[in-house]
């Protein structure tokens, strides 16, 4: 018998994600995550990189009405720029609208051609109410 522990068999069906109230539906090539977040919740800046193969784009769809159902909860994108300060962007995604964003890097023009600028995403603190979103992450989790 090997001294190394065997990894558990993969679970079937929905599972809880690291987000508050989120449920992730795993498939081989995509995750469909619904997130429910209440006042005080924040999603720290991160990148969704699962498996060896990563699709370059993700989608988030807002199911709540900003300013009515919740305050705060803006979608955040932060781009790390070479030899410069990071650049942040906050977006309010209207109810029923989606936002397509990069999973890992964004191409930027440089003095020597093109380079990749790492990008992280997250959600600002929800100040009141409840926010619901649908996220699509395409990857190879096998």
């Amino acid at each position: 018998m090997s001294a190394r522990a065997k990894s558990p068999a993969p679970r079937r069906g929905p599972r809880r994600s690291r987000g508050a109230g989120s449920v992730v539906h795993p498939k081989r090539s995509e995750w469909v995550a619904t997130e429910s977040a209440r006042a005080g919740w924040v999603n720290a800046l991160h990148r969704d990189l699962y498996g060896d193969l990563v699709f370059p784009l993700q989608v988030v769809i807002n199911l709540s009405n900003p300013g009515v159902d919740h305050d705060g909860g803006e979608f955040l994108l932060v781009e790390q720029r070479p030899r410069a300060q990071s650049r942040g962007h906050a977006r309010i995604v209207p109810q029923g609208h989606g936002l397509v964003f990069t999973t890992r890097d964004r191409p930027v023009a440089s003095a020597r051609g093109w380079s990749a600028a790492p990008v992280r995403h997250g959600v600002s603190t929800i100040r009141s109410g409840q926010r619901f979103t649908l996220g699509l992450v395409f990857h190879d989790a096998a």
Side-chain angles (χ1 to χ4, degrees), residues 69-121:
D69 297 330
H70 64 86
D71 285 321
E74 293 85 4
F75 186 80
L76 305 173
L77 285 171
V78 175
E79 173 188 337
Q80 290 177 271
R81 299 178 340 168
R83 295 169 300 283
Q85 292 288 324
S86 294
R87 181 183 302 172
H89 304 276
R91 297 284 184 257
I92 296 174
V93 182
Q95 184 178 24
H97 289 233
L99 182 68
V100 178
F101 60 98
T102 182
T103 300
R104 175 181 269 166
D105 301 316
R106 181 180 91 77
V108 292
S110 67
R112 297 185 192 128
W114 291 93
S115 63
V119 176
R120 294 175 293 150
H121 65 277

Side-chain angles (χ1 to χ4, degrees), residues 10-137:
R11 285 186 62 183
R12 303 285 185 230
R15 72 170 181 81
R16 291 277 172 203
S17 170
R18 65 182 174 269
S22 63
V23 177
V24 176
H25 302 278
K27 293 184 180 178
R28 177 161 171 77
S29 62
E30 70 181 74
W31 273 9
V32 178
T34 55
E35 289 196 340
S36 164
R38 295 187 185 276
W41 182 81
V42 63
N43 190 348
L45 294 172
H46 65 282
R47 293 191 279 180
D48 295 315
L49 305 174
Y50 308 105
D52 294 331
L53 300 175
V54 178
F55 191 74
L57 300 174
Q58 290 180 237
V59 178
V60 65
I61 300 168
N62 191 6
L63 304 176
S64 300
N65 192 354
V68 175
D69 297 330
H70 64 86
D71 285 321
E74 293 85 4
F75 186 80
L76 305 173
L77 285 171
V78 175
E79 173 188 337
Q80 290 177 271
R81 299 178 340 168
R83 295 169 300 283
Q85 292 288 324
S86 294
R87 181 183 302 172
H89 304 276
R91 297 284 184 257
I92 296 174
V93 182
Q95 184 178 24
H97 289 233
L99 182 68
V100 178
F101 60 98
T102 182
T103 300
R104 175 181 269 166
D105 301 316
R106 181 180 91 77
V108 292
S110 67
R112 297 185 192 128
W114 291 93
S115 63
V119 176
R120 294 175 293 150
H121 65 277
V123 177
S124 69
T125 303
I126 297 173
R127 294 183 293 276
S128 67
Q130 191 168 10
R131 177 184 185 267
F132 292 92
T133 58
L134 174 68
L136 301 175
V137 181

